[in-house]
């Protein structure tokens, strides 16, 4: 951004601590009156050094670390990391464990979207929406707690399987929770899309076109809201997604409302996916008996090689590039998360809007600064 200030212009800094932000980053805005003339974004306030930490931990010790890249996407972080190691070591995962992984990862998608939806509501002054979504999110977290023993950071996946089987009563509890959540999602749709103030603030505002999105590397709901039907679960299926029936949720307007509607639809699809997994769940072990790598393998040596493995995170493409030198620790780890490219789309989106639109646009992108600053 050119910081030269003309007549009746000023520079305003939003952040790094601001109520509209899902984590510390700074938006630098050049304003003329209340119109945003230009802007840029600054990251780097909470670097955690996770990639270097992983290079100094054994492979098994890395699982709880990747949970903390972004606590909202702990399960898909684990899938990307564990899946990369499984590719390097040529580890086969039993079908039953693959189904269980899909279930917990779709539950993770549900709770992430619910929190993101509630936070977005707060950003535009719709404070009651947060109260609605956080209540339903607690029910989803309780389901995850039944399976993993934790609500936020789980350390549940293992190389070649999962830590535990599904508990007794999980299917019945899921059916009851999903019946309630479907009713609530219908209410969210009415509360958002039938509200005149919401329409004025979100329809036709913050439009991201498909070319800009692809040029910047945007993925996930923000990309699909521009009409691009890219979803790694469909385009590069992993686990048992190829055996499941679900649609890729898209919209064409690319505005704030489109991004929100894509996430509403994705929650319905996530429940449908979980229900299919529960109905199709095969019998069998969660680990193969002859597997070299099991739950009780604190140290393992992975054959030399390099790999890139990516999955569909609630916010888009989460990928791990990993190099093994044959030791018990990865030689090099590089993470490609969805949030950094998504946040790069903010400056072009806010140009020409008003300062009141900035919070709504930023909230609709559903960023997680913790992941971008890993």
């Amino acid at each position: 951004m050119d910081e030269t200030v003309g007549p009746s212009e000023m520079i305003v800094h939003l952040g790094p601590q601001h109520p509209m932000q899902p984590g510390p980053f700074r938006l630098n805005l050049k304003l003329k009156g209340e119109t945003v003339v230009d802007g840029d974004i600054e990251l780097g306030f909470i670097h955690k050094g996770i990639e270097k930490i992983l290079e100094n931990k054994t492979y098994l010790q890395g699982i709880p670390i990747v949970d903390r890249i972004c606590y909202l996407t702990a399960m898909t972080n684990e899938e990307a990391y564990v899946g990369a190691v499984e590719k390097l070591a040529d580890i086969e995962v039993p079908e039953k464990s693959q189904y269980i992984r899909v279930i917990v990862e779709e539950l993770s998608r549900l709770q992430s979207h619910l929190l993101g939806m509630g936070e977005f509501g707060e950003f535009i002054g719709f404070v009651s929406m947060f109260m609605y979504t956080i209540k339903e999110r607690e029910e989803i977290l309780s389901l995850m707690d039944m399976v993993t023993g934790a609500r936020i950071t789980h350390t549940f996946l293992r190389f070649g399987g999962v830590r535990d089987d599904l508990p007794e009563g999980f299917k019945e509890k899921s059916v009851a929770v999903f019946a309630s959540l479907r009713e609530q999602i219908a209410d969210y749709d009415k509360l958002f899309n039938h509200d005149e103030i919401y329409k004025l603030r979100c329809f036709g505002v913050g439009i991201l076109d498909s070319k800009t999105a692809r040029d910047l590397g945007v993925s996930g709901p923000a990309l699909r809201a521009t009409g691009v039907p890219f979803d790694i679960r469909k385009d590069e299926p992993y686990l048992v997604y190829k055996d499941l029936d679900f649609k890729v949720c898209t919209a064409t307007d690319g505005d704030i409302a489109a991004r929100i509607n894509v996430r509403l639809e994705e929650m319905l699809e996530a429940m449908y996916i979980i229900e299919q997994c529960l109905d199709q769940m095969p019998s069998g072990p969660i680990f193969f008996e002859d597997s070299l790598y099991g739950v009780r393998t604190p140290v393992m040596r992975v054959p030399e090689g390099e790999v890139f493995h990516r999955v569909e995170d609630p916010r888009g493409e989460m990928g791990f590039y990993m190099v093994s030198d044959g030791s018990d620790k990865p030689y090099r780890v590089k993470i490609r998360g969805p949030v950094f490219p998504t946040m790069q789309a903010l400056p072009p989106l806010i140009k020409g809007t008003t300062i009141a639109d900035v919070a709504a646009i930023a909230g609709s992108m559903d960023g997680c600064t913790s992941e971008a600053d890993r």
Side-chain angles (χ1 to χ4, degrees):
M1 180 183 74
D2 182 5
E3 296 191 1
T4 305
V5 178
S8 71
E9 291 183 341
M10 66 167 56
I11 301 290
V12 173
H13 304 286
L14 295 184
Q17 301 292 342
H18 192 279
M20 75 155 196
Q21 295 170 318
F25 65 92
R26 185 160 70 184
L27 272 174
N28 303 313
L29 306 177
K30 182 190 286 188
L31 303 178
K32 187 169 186 176
E34 293 196 9
T35 301
V36 180
V37 177
D38 201 358
D40 63 23
I41 188 168
E42 288 185 42
L43 299 168
F45 293 94
I46 52 169
H47 273 312
K48 301 189 288 290
I50 280 181
E51 290 157 334
K52 283 301 172 188
I53 292 173
L54 290 173
E55 292 169 11
N56 288 277
K57 299 286 185 182
T58 65
Y59 287 96
L60 189 62
Q61 288 173 335
I63 298 175
I65 302 299
V66 298
D67 272 348
R68 288 152 178 82
I69 296 171
C70 172
Y71 72 90
L72 289 172
T73 61
M75 294 310 312
T76 43
N77 294 341
E78 287 187 28
E79 182 61 49
Y81 173 76
V82 170
V85 177
E86 287 168 344
K87 279 185 176 180
L88 276 172
D90 195 23
I91 302 172
E92 188 177 354
V93 181
E95 190 178 31
K96 184 173 186 178
S97 286
Q98 293 187 46
Y99 274 97
I100 294 172
R101 285 188 183 185
V102 170
I103 288 170
V104 293
E105 287 163 31
E106 293 304 316
L107 286 173
S108 181
R109 193 178 314 278
L110 280 169
Q111 61 84 24
S112 176
H113 282 354
L114 284 167
L115 183 61
M117 201 82 62
E119 287 183 337
F120 166 75
E122 278 197 312
F123 296 160
I124 62 173
F126 205 162
V127 180
S128 55
M129 180 57 73
F130 183 82
M131 304 303 174
Y132 300 146
T133 60
I134 205 70
K135 173 182 174 294
E136 299 305 319
R137 180 174 181 262
E138 285 299 307
E139 296 297 328
I140 299 298
L141 292 180
S142 293
L143 287 176
M144 298 186 77
D145 192 9
M146 284 182 71
V147 182
T148 71
R151 300 173 74 79
I152 302 296
T153 50
H154 307 278
T155 319
F156 180 67
L157 271 57
R158 292 293 185 271
F159 308 119
V162 291
R163 195 179 67 226
D164 295 301
D165 203 341
L166 294 180
E168 186 177 346
F170 176 80
K171 183 175 182 178
E172 293 72 19
K173 177 75 181 295
S174 298
V175 169
V177 169
F178 291 169
S180 172
L181 182 54
R182 282 192 171 96
E183 293 179 3
Q184 296 303 317
I185 290 174
D187 287 343
Y188 302 157
D189 181 57
K190 291 177 184 176
L191 286 167
F192 276 140
N193 293 306
H194 295 183
D195 183 90
E196 291 302 320
I197 296 176
Y198 176 83
K199 289 179 182 178
L200 290 170
R201 295 201 64 183
C202 300
F203 282 73
V205 178
I207 297 174
L208 177 65
D209 65 85
S210 59
K211 183 180 185 305
T212 301
R214 285 179 291 192
D215 288 348
L216 291 171
V218 174
S219 56
L223 174 65
R224 292 191 284 273
T226 69
V228 180
F230 176 71
D231 187 317
I232 295 170
R233 296 172 297 172
K234 281 283 190 185
D235 293 284
E236 296 178 14
Y238 53 98
L239 298 177
V240 290
Y241 279 110
K242 65 181 181 302
D243 300 324
L244 301 172
D245 174 36
F246 65 98
K247 69 176 184 179
V248 176
C249 302
T250 61
T252 56
D253 294 334
D255 57 8
I256 294 173
R259 291 188 280 275
I260 298 303
N261 288 336
V262 165
R263 293 187 185 98
L264 284 172
E265 291 181 18
E266 284 192 356
M267 287 195 282
L268 295 173
E269 288 301 307
M271 288 186 282
Y272 181 44
I273 289 171
I274 294 169
E275 288 166 343
Q276 290 178 73
C277 289
L278 291 171
D279 291 338
Q280 299 174 21
M281 182 71 67
S283 59
I286 57 174
F287 280 96
F288 288 121
E289 291 183 5
D290 59 350
S291 174
L292 294 174
Y293 310 106
V295 175
R296 300 176 181 84
T297 309
V299 177
M300 65 183 200
R301 298 187 183 277
V302 173
E304 290 185 22
E306 61 180 331
V307 71
F308 180 73
H309 181 63
R310 61 180 180 172
V311 301
E312 187 66 32
D313 170 291
R315 287 164 183 76
E317 179 187 338
M318 167 59 74
F320 272 74
Y321 170 73
M322 190 177 294
V323 178
S324 170
D325 60 1
S327 70
D328 61 344
K329 301 170 186 171
Y331 174 75
R332 184 72 70 239
V333 177
K334 176 63 180 174
I335 302 169
R336 192 281 186 200
V339 176
F340 185 83
T342 299
M343 296 183 83
Q344 302 313 304
L346 270 179
L349 281 187
I350 61 179
K351 289 180 184 178
T353 64
T354 67
I355 193 167
D357 294 328
V358 172
I361 295 169
S364 73
M365 301 301 280
D366 195 24
C368 176
T369 316
S370 174
E371 188 264 286
D373 274 358
R374 61 189 174 275

